[in-house]
């Protein structure tokens, strides 16, 4: 079910006319991937073989041991007596049949499917562990390096928020490092981080476009969607469709924000394209890269395509 949704999202994104709809379609792909199955298609279903382990209940084993002889066992006993054989022998044979030890309860047999499950969970645990370490390191760096933006940047941010029809509920920070503008939210108030070089070198018009783009992410709740696509990829790291969906989601996300900037600011497309190129130049020698959960202005694939 996720595959036809992905094909539909790709087809919508190819037109470049409705990036918001394409973004929603890719989001449905992500949600579909982590939902439990709702139907079984016979020619696509995979029959998972059960292991050879026998799960037995000790109480039922005791009850079976204390029950009378089964008819088949009784017939063997009576037949042996009629054949003029030592009467003690069939009894011994029957006792041997009943006293044979049953398979051990709870025996674990590691087959191929169990091994694949162990690899799956190990890979997910590794992805989560690496992400947690990077996020903690990134959080410490932000607290140490970022400073609140000056009144000029704050004024432009309030203007950009008003043009987008929203309240300025994001914190505006400046960092003295070579990086692209990005939105960061780790289960709290979103923060827009701008490199000091852009703040000092850009004109008010260009800086207004940059702030409008970042605030468009906040308005669309992209900083929350980033955590969703990270969780899906962490869980389904082995599934190529999850990675394809994340790439398509982020590409459509950037195109949708670009469209919001052009509508809200009524900016000339050529001027905005020149602004994107100026921002791209700031990552030629980046001091660091934000985590995958951050909404960076240079993300989403080909800058050529966006221009």
């Amino acid at each position: 079910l996720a595959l036809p949704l992905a094909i539909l999202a790709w087809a919508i994104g190819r037109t470049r006319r409705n990036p918001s709809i394409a973004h929603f379609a890719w989001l449905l792909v992500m949600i579909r991937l982590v939902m439990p199955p709702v139907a079984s298609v016979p020619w696509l279903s995979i029959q998972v073989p059960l292991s050879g382990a026998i799960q037995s209940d000790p109480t039922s084993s005791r009850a079976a041991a204390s029950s009378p002889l089964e008819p088949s066992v009784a017939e063997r006993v009576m037949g042996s007596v009629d054949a003029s054989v030592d009467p003690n022998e069939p009894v011994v044979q029957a006792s041997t049949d009943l006293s044979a030890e049953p398979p051990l309860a709870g025996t674990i047999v590691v087959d191929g499917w169990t091994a694949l499950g162990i690899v799956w969970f190990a890979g997910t645990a590794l992805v989560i562990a690496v992400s947690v370490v990077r996020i903690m390191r990134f959080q410490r760096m932000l607290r140490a390096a970022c400073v609140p933006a000056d009144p000029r940047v704050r004024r432009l941010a309030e203007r950009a928020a008003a043009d987008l029809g929203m309240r300025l509920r994001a914190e505006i920070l400046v960092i003295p490092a070579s990086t692209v503008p990005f939105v960061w939210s780790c289960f709290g108030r979103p923060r827009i981080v701008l490199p000091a070089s852009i703040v000092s070198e850009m004109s008010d018009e260009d800086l207004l476009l940059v702030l409008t783009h970042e605030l468009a992410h906040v308005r669309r709740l992209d900083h929350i969607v980033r955590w969703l696509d990270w969780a899906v990829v962490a869980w389904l790291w082995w599934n190529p469709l999850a990675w394809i969906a994340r790439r398509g989601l982020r590409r459509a996300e950037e195109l949708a924000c670009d469209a919001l900037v052009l509508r809200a600011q009524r900016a000339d497309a050529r001027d905005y394209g020149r602004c994107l190129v100026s921002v791209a130049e700031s990552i030629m020698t980046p001091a660091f890269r934000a985590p995958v959960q951050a909404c960076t202005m240079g993300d989403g694939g080909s800058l050529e395509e966006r221009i």
Side-chain angles (χ1 to χ4, degrees):
L1 292 178
L3 186 58
L5 280 175
I7 295 174
L8 177 63
W10 174 82
I12 296 173
R14 288 286 293 177
T15 63
R16 303 191 186 97
R17 295 179 181 177
N18 300 291
S20 295
I21 299 178
H23 182 268
F24 181 71
W26 283 116
L27 186 59
L28 289 180
V29 175
M30 286 281 189
I31 295 174
R32 176 62 263 174
L33 283 174
V34 295
M35 285 179 62
V38 296
S40 176
V41 182
W43 57 87
L44 291 179
S45 299
I46 299 176
Q47 301 296 331
V48 180
L50 297 177
S51 63
I54 300 176
Q55 300 293 338
S56 60
D57 189 357
T59 58
S60 62
S61 300
R62 289 194 297 269
S66 61
S67 62
L69 293 177
E70 295 182 0
S72 59
V73 177
E75 291 174 0
R76 292 199 304 270
V77 173
M78 297 303 295
S80 301
V81 173
D82 294 338
S84 300
V85 183
D86 185 2
N88 293 326
E89 183 177 352
V91 176
V92 173
Q93 182 65 33
S95 301
T96 304
D97 293 341
L98 291 176
S99 63
E101 294 185 0
L104 294 177
T107 303
I108 300 176
V109 179
V110 179
D111 56 7
W113 291 101
T114 305
L116 287 177
I118 294 173
V119 173
W120 180 350
F121 284 102
T124 298
L126 179 62
V127 172
I128 293 176
V130 172
S131 296
V132 169
V133 171
R134 289 180 177 176
I135 289 172
M136 292 177 62
R137 186 181 304 166
F138 184 71
Q139 288 275 75
R140 289 197 301 267
M141 186 272 298
L142 286 184
R143 286 194 296 266
C146 288
V147 296
D150 57 34
R152 165 185 171 246
V153 178
R154 180 77 184 183
R155 185 176 62 254
L156 291 173
E158 291 175 351
R159 177 181 166 186
D163 293 337
L164 288 170
M166 58 179 289
R167 295 178 57 186
L168 182 60
R169 57 181 183 272
E171 186 179 4
I172 312 298
L173 302 175
V174 176
I175 185 171
S178 176
T179 183
V180 293
F182 61 89
V183 178
W184 172 248
S185 176
C186 187
F187 307 106
R189 185 183 180 187
R191 287 172 284 180
I192 296 177
V193 181
L194 304 174
S197 59
I198 286 181
V199 173
S200 60
E201 297 173 4
M202 274 191 169
S203 63
D204 287 358
E205 291 75 14
D206 287 346
L207 191 56
L208 178 63
L209 295 177
V210 172
L211 287 168
T212 304
H213 181 97
E214 299 307 318
L215 285 171
H217 282 297
V218 177
R219 176 185 170 181
R220 290 169 34 84
L221 302 180
D222 290 334
H223 56 289
I224 298 177
V225 176
R226 285 296 177 102
W227 286 96
L228 172 64
D229 72 50
W230 167 80
V232 172
V233 171
W235 175 240
L236 299 175
W237 55 269
W238 49 268
N239 192 337
L241 187 56
W243 295 89
I244 294 172
R246 184 171 80 169
R247 181 178 178 85
L249 188 73
R250 297 190 173 189
R251 170 183 171 275
E253 171 189 301
E254 290 300 318
L255 292 173
C257 288
D258 291 341
L260 269 178
V261 172
L262 294 177
R263 287 200 303 267
Q265 299 299 337
R266 297 180 176 84
D268 181 72
R270 184 180 297 274
D271 293 337
Y272 184 57
R274 178 178 49 80
C275 179
L276 290 178
V277 173
S278 299
V279 172
E281 290 176 349
S282 65
I283 62 172
M284 296 303 292
T285 55
F288 70 94
R289 291 192 178 276
V292 295
Q293 295 85 358
C295 301
T296 59
M297 192 172 180
D299 206 349
S302 174
L303 180 64
E304 239 182 280
E305 182 182 2
R306 291 174 62 189
I307 292 176

